[in-house]
Amino acid sequence: MKSAVETLNPTRVRLTVEVPFEELKDSLDAAYKKINQQVTVKGFRKGKIPARVIDQRFGRGAVLEEAVNDALPKFYTEAVNEAELDPLGQPEVDITELKDGETLNFTAEVDVRPALEIPDYSGIEVEVDAVEVTDEDVEKSVEQLRERFASTSPVERAAEDGDVVTIDLEAKVDGEVLEDGIANGVSYTIGSGELLDGIDDAVKGLEAGGEATFTSELKGGSAAGKESEVTVKVTQVAARELPELDDDFAQLASEFDTLDELKADSRKRLANMKQFDQATQAQERVLEKLLELVEVPVPEKLLEDEVNTRKHNLEHHQLGQMGLDLAKYLEIQGKTAEEFETETREAAVKGIKTQFVLDELVKKEQLNVNQEELTEHLMRRAASSGMSPDQFAQAVVEGGQVPLLVGEVARGKALAVVVEAATVKDTNGEIVDLDDEDEETETEAAEASETSEENAEG
């Protein structure tokens, strides 16, 4: 077999392959054997029909077609390996010549990973938010904890902001009560915004036994997105009572004995959260700078696949779970279809470029992934998916997704190398040391390109 490579553009090549006919022998034998098992010829036992009889009865062309279909993947793979290509997706194959007993010639066009030049990235500088926890931040955190320990007691007065009301709801569309439009005994905190638009104004001022009707757009159910006439009846009004902020509250709500200790712990937790956010921000901004340094051509077919995958996941998974369609989602977001298309395409381009650049860095820095790193990453992915580690691991293995996880970890390590080499300062001008940050942040940018790799491998 002889092969040659022609570069069509930075992300696409054409392979020209010439195969001597004798190299088709194994595939021809397999073709005769397969046809032997599928056909019956009088006077011959099944599976024992001579090749010349098959040629006479069914045509040599049928045998050649079967043999070539069997052989092409093998010869294509050999040509790819010989040329040391890194193909993306499936090739477009064209048989240019097939002479029985002489030769098989074909071409294969396929997208390939572009050759990238990673420049010196040690000069990257980024600015991130300073880690500052104010007294106001601490008070807000403690107040949120206090809200969780609030109690309620029924009152005989009109409902006010902050009260917890027990209500019955009935929704009509076009004058007809919806099958799923009745709910009784619903507990609702006025002002929380957790139910329908307009319900706060409707129930405020009502005492137990009072009712009101208002118009609202339904957020879910069989008539999601439609205007509905909603009748709400208040069956109970209860006032929320917050516990006193003192040492007794600290002992009730935490493992601490005093309110001062509780506040000190809240300050520490807030600082840790802001440090985590700071590390994530540093990674995102370093990645942006890195991508600016590298010229990355993007294969058009891969980009289209990525855009379509992102749209499909949004429409059929995320929005479906929320009871929304794309049109309603865009209305809520205040975006046009054109703006959505542009943003999706830009995000897809960034995801593909991120994968290409970080994968190139993995090779340049000779980074490897050990079993411990892979296991830790698997545990985190399992937790975020809501599955047990065993369930997630089984799904990964059965789906052949282990290489994807290895790639995610490797790209995370590559980005960590760049972040470590970069200069990171906070808004106060202080150098930020990210060495002690949670390793989980290493994988975030790489995971963003997971879908890109799935498309590339497909």
Side-chain angles (χ1 to χ4, degrees), residues 335-355:
K335 296 176 184 176
T336 64
E338 291 75 17
E339 289 170 335
F340 169 72
E341 182 74 27
T342 298
E343 290 179 6
T344 303
R345 184 167 291 270
E346 288 175 351
V349 168
K350 182 179 179 182
I352 294 171
K353 286 185 175 182
T354 296
Q355 180 198 325

Side-chain angles (χ1 to χ4, degrees), residues 14 17 19 40 61 91 130 176 233 317 341 397 414 424-425 430:
R14 179 189 292 124
V17 184
V19 183
T40 301
E176 296 291 330
K233 181 177 181 180
H317 297 295
E341 182 74 27
V397 172
V424 182
K425 294 183 179 180
E430 300 291 331

Side-chain angles (χ1 to χ4, degrees), residues 216-236:
S216 183
E217 185 178 291
L218 298 178
K219 297 181 179 179
S222 62
K226 293 185 177 180
E227 287 290 321
S228 172
E229 183 182 85
V230 182
T231 299
V232 55
K233 181 177 181 180
V234 176
T235 59
Q236 179 181 278

